[in-house]
Amino acid sequence: MAGLVPPGPTTVPAGESKKAEEKTDFMNLPCPIPFEELHREALMSLKPEAFEGLRFDFTKGLNQKFSLSHSVYMGPTEIPSQSAETIKIPTAHYEFGANFIDPNLMLIGRVLTDGRLNARVKWDLTDNLTVKANAQLSNEPHMSHGIVNFDYKGKDYRSQFQMGNAALFGASYIQSVTRHLSLGGEVFWAGQHRKSGIGYAARYETDKMVATGQVASTGVVALSYVQKVSEKVSLASDFMYNYITRDVTSSVGYDYILRQCRLRGKIDSNGCAAAYLEERLNMGLNFILSAEIDHRKKDYKFGFGLTVG
Amino acid sequence: MADNLISLDRLKAFWHSQVHHEQTRAHNMKLLRAAGLFAGSILLMRNYGDLMAI
């Protein structure tokens, strides 16, 4: 009789009771991520900066806020061709960069040997208001572009207004609807081309996964799913369909973030397999390997590089 | 009765245009392959993703 325990009141495991008690406080929802970063987890895993040829980047910090960078690139560049065959021409360029990074202000400038200039500004005017500007200037006529964004972060929403050259205007808004779900929309008007568009997006995020979907009047339907298997491992999948150009691509990939290296790989429905490895050889010294094999087009790209600083 | 026959004919015509027409069949196969890869990968990730953990 000593071994028998009388049945007590119905006991619920502690975790389940906490979940049952957690009610969504709709007045206290988290702030969603910016609209343009909706697919960021999938993009980070599936779209690393693959390159072909040699790449060398050297960053020298002059003080805590200011640094200079030198980049050398040598490799073939693909040029658009009428036929299905890929045409590549060998190119080489040197890029000089200056970076000023402050908690409230970030200024980045890059100038290339072919005369192109890239400039980026990010200025936190207040805790909630940020101004971002981006410019690409070129010697060639009508090839220079500039765009300014005004981002406002609310309690459980974010909004953005953007203006660009060629009479480009755009606005986006994203709102947290529940603790896990956020919905948003965007509109744009390109004055020079007399085109306008509207799009809608949704993002569902939990501790274990992120699922996003986006539809736009430009014909794009983009879906993505990322499974956070552990702190070091993510698996991602995305689906992109353009119902106007009738183009469809789906890709599946993995992202392993280890102590000494980061390895990303993917395969897509067009028969293209790619991998990207960043290995930390020493403090401030990174070795990069990039590979992409397109079985359909019989196009093979291999790149290697070194990053210092 | 006549309405049903008309819509059935339209369905058959649609089916033929999507399956037996060379160009649309190629596009549909591409779409099916991509959608299958996406959906299949999500199922595999959700059910067997933990096997990839280190």
Side-chain angles (χ1 to χ4, degrees), chain B residues 13-52:
Chain B
F14 178 73
W15 176 259
H16 279 286
S17 74
Q18 294 298 312
V19 175
H20 297 294
H21 187 253
E22 197 59 47
Q23 215 172 358
T24 44
R25 185 188 170 88
H27 169 70
N28 288 338
M29 289 308 292
K30 205 172 154 189
L31 187 60
L32 208 64
R33 190 168 57 236
L37 180 67
F38 183 64
S41 65
I42 290 176
L43 282 170
L44 282 174
M45 276 191 256
R46 287 185 69 88
N47 294 326
Y48 304 108
D50 292 335
L51 296 173
M52 301 279 287

Side-chain angles (χ1 to χ4, degrees), chain A residues 209 223-225 227 229-230 233 235-239 241 246-250 252 256 258 268-270 296, chain B residues 18 23-24 27-28 30-39 41-42 44-46 48-54:
Chain A
M209 55 77 102
L223 309 172
S224 77
Y225 181 85
Q227 182 82 18
V229 173
S230 71
V233 183
L235 301 173
S237 179
D238 83 344
F239 176 85
Y241 177 51
R246 314 272 276 171
D247 193 27
V248 60
T249 307
S250 171
V252 185
Y256 279 73
L258 306 174
D268 72 20
S269 58
N270 294 328
R296 189 161 295 175
Chain B
Q18 294 298 312
Q23 215 172 358
T24 44
H27 169 70
N28 288 338
K30 205 172 154 189
L31 187 60
L32 208 64
R33 190 168 57 236
L37 180 67
F38 183 64
S41 65
I42 290 176
L44 282 174
M45 276 191 256
R46 287 185 69 88
Y48 304 108
D50 292 335
L51 296 173
M52 301 279 287
I54 48 166

Side-chain angles (χ1 to χ4, degrees), chain A residues 173-194:
Chain A
Y173 180 83
I174 184 161
Q175 169 80 51
S176 285
V177 174
T178 69
R179 276 179 44 245
H180 300 295
L181 178 67
S182 45
L183 303 175
E186 63 172 348
V187 293
F188 77 87
W189 184 65
Q192 202 172 49
H193 305 284
R194 294 281 190 270

Side-chain angles (χ1 to χ4, degrees), chain A residues 27-58:
Chain A
M27 301 310 292
N28 217 13
L29 294 172
C31 192
I33 65 162
F35 189 89
E36 68 248 19
E37 291 177 29
L38 209 71
H39 307 284
R40 78 174 164 202
E41 286 87 359
L43 283 175
M44 275 189 336
S45 296
L46 295 173
K47 298 207 173 22
E49 289 174 8
F51 62 97
E52 187 176 11
L54 163 77
R55 202 178 105 186
F56 177 74
D57 297 315
F58 173 65

Side-chain angles (χ1 to χ4, degrees), chain A residues 9-277:
Chain A
T10 312
T11 51
V12 179
E16 284 183 21
S17 65
K18 276 184 190 166
K19 281 181 187 170
E21 283 165 13
E22 255 179 49
K23 284 182 185 175
T24 307
D25 181 4
F26 288 101
M27 301 310 292
N28 217 13
L29 294 172
C31 192
I33 65 162
F35 189 89
E36 68 248 19
E37 291 177 29
L38 209 71
H39 307 284
R40 78 174 164 202
E41 286 87 359
L43 283 175
M44 275 189 336
S45 296
L46 295 173
K47 298 207 173 22
E49 289 174 8
F51 62 97
E52 187 176 11
L54 163 77
R55 202 178 105 186
F56 177 74
D57 297 315
F58 173 65
T59 304
K60 172 77 178 168
L62 298 181
N63 59 36
Q64 269 191 340
K65 295 184 181 183
F66 189 67
S67 60
L68 299 176
S69 72
H70 307 271
S71 300
V72 172
Y73 171 74
M74 285 186 258
T77 304
E78 211 171 300
I79 55 169
S81 70
Q82 300 282 337
S83 65
E85 234 178 270
T86 315
I87 300 175
K88 295 183 185 179
I89 53 167
T91 52
H93 64 73
Y94 162 73
E95 185 183 82
F96 174 74
N99 315 305
F100 177 81
I101 297 173
D102 191 58
N104 291 333
L105 178 64
M106 186 180 79
L107 304 168
I108 292 178
R110 297 276 183 275
V111 63
L112 284 90
T113 41
D114 57 8
R116 276 182 292 157
L117 175 81
N118 293 330
R120 282 174 53 195
V121 176
K122 182 169 175 268
W123 184 20
D124 295 331
L125 282 173
T126 67
D127 281 343
N128 296 335
L129 184 62
T130 302
V131 179
K132 292 193 280 197
N134 212 330
Q136 285 109 43
L137 307 178
S138 170
N139 287 331
E140 293 171 45
H142 309 297
M143 292 299 284
S144 300
H145 305 284
I147 195 160
V148 179
N149 297 334
F150 298 92
D151 299 347
Y152 185 78
K153 184 176 88 164
K155 193 160 170 272
D156 56 5
Y157 67 90
R158 283 186 195 256
S159 59
Q160 184 190 78
F161 177 70
Q162 67 180 209
M163 291 187 303
N165 69 325
L168 175 70
F169 296 96
S172 69
Y173 180 83
I174 184 161
Q175 169 80 51
S176 285
V177 174
T178 69
R179 276 179 44 245
H180 300 295
L181 178 67
S182 45
L183 303 175
E186 63 172 348
V187 293
F188 77 87
W189 184 65
Q192 202 172 49
H193 305 284
R194 294 281 190 270
K195 279 188 181 169
S196 64
I198 189 165
Y200 305 98
R203 179 181 163 100
Y204 187 84
E205 182 177 357
T206 66
D207 292 335
K208 287 277 179 189
M209 55 77 102
V210 177
T212 65
Q214 189 168 7
V215 180
S217 63
T218 48
V220 169
V221 175
L223 309 172
S224 77
Y225 181 85
V226 177
Q227 182 82 18
K228 298 173 201 172
V229 173
S230 71
E231 271 178 19
K232 297 178 185 178
V233 183
S234 294
L235 301 173
S237 179
D238 83 344
F239 176 85
M240 191 88 74
Y241 177 51
N242 191 321
Y243 54 80
I244 293 174
T245 62
R246 314 272 276 171
D247 193 27
V248 60
T249 307
S250 171
S251 52
V252 185
Y254 58 86
D255 186 355
Y256 279 73
I257 302 175
L258 306 174
R259 223 161 21 96
Q260 296 287 97
C261 77
R262 182 173 185 183
L263 176 63
R264 287 173 270 186
K266 70 157 192 199
I267 186 157
D268 72 20
S269 58
N270 294 328
C272 184
Y276 192 86
L277 169 72

